[in-house]
Amino acid sequence: MKYQKGEAKQWARENLPGIGGGIIQPLNADYSIDYEGLKGWINRQIDMGIDSIICDGACGEWLTFTTEERKKIYEVAVETVDGRVPLIANTSHPSVIVATELAKHAQDVGCDALMHCTPYANSSSDDGVYRYYKYMADRVDIGICLYNTKPTGYVLSPQFINELAERIPNICGIKQGMGSIDQTLRAYE
């Protein structure tokens, strides 16, 4: 383990500055995942100076992949990155059970942190979202970066982002997909 759960925020401050590149998942003509192409995308991003890699989470294509395909993406990414930059795995899923399974696998194969959006299509309250993140966070030791994006149907307010970060020790960052830097800046006030 690279760091303990309670050290996730400090680890993120030290290891996740700069730009994290979301990697597009290339497909073959038969719509299967092109794992060799994935390796190429990762290597190109690192060669161009990206500060960290976000696998399985660039353009929403992960919504169409099976759990086993997503696990293999994490494995290929870990092997390809080979410790050159921090690797963040998108483990978003509407089912907290599947999301936790993906998160545990990403941790076990060597991903440095997780990225996770609110459970799309079934988030109804701050309490429900808190319980969702808490369930997963209690079962993994690496950091979790929140992913705040409108398509989930539930937008995290700056106040609630801060509450999550205070109440869950391994919440360590945020990717804002809201189209406005103002949302992120308000969370830091």
Side-chain angles (χ1 to χ4, degrees):
M1 186 61 49
K2 297 169 178 70
Y3 54 88
Q4 297 298 314
K5 187 180 296 204
E7 300 167 343
K9 290 173 183 60
Q10 182 63 35
W11 179 89
R13 278 191 289 278
E14 294 171 1
N15 293 281
L16 295 179
I19 298 172
I23 301 299
I24 295 169
Q25 310 306 317
L27 301 177
N28 295 305
D30 66 356
Y31 299 105
S32 62
I33 297 171
D34 176 1
Y35 294 105
E36 290 304 312
L38 174 60
K39 292 176 187 178
W41 275 111
I42 291 170
N43 284 322
R44 272 190 292 283
Q45 291 289 313
I46 293 172
D47 290 346
M48 291 186 325
I50 202 77
D51 298 301
S52 61
I53 295 288
I54 303 168
C55 70
D56 192 31
C59 298
E61 65 273 23
W62 53 273
L63 292 163
T64 64
F65 298 148
T66 67
T67 300
E68 293 310 310
E69 288 172 321
R70 294 182 72 190
K71 288 179 178 180
K72 178 146 181 159
I73 288 169
Y74 309 149
E75 294 164 13
V76 169
V78 166
E79 175 187 313
T80 306
V81 168
D82 194 28
R84 294 179 287 168
V85 296
L87 176 62
I88 302 166
N90 174 28
T91 57
S92 301
H93 197 280
S95 162
V96 71
I97 302 302
V98 176
T100 302
E101 177 185 346
L102 290 167
K104 288 164 91 173
H105 184 78
Q107 174 182 277
D108 291 347
V109 299
C111 292
D112 297 297
L114 309 169
M115 180 179 75
H116 199 85
C117 64
T118 58
Y120 44 91
N122 63 3
S123 301
S124 60
S125 69
D126 283 358
D127 182 59
V129 170
Y130 165 77
R131 287 186 288 123
Y132 181 86
Y133 277 116
K134 178 77 168 125
Y135 181 90
M136 184 175 54
D138 284 347
R139 288 156 179 80
V140 295
D141 295 317
I142 60 177
I144 300 168
C145 297
L146 304 173
Y147 182 12
N148 199 17
T149 182
K150 287 180 186 176
T152 65
Y154 191 86
V155 175
L156 300 169
S157 70
Q159 297 79 14
F160 189 51
I161 291 167
N162 285 324
E163 181 182 333
L164 288 170
E166 288 172 10
R167 294 177 67 189
I168 301 174
N170 46 340
I171 297 285
C172 67
I174 186 161
K175 175 183 176 184
Q176 283 285 18
M178 302 305 296
S180 169
I181 193 73
D182 184 57
Q183 179 82 0
T184 304
L185 294 174
R186 287 197 328 245
Y188 285 106
E189 292 176 350

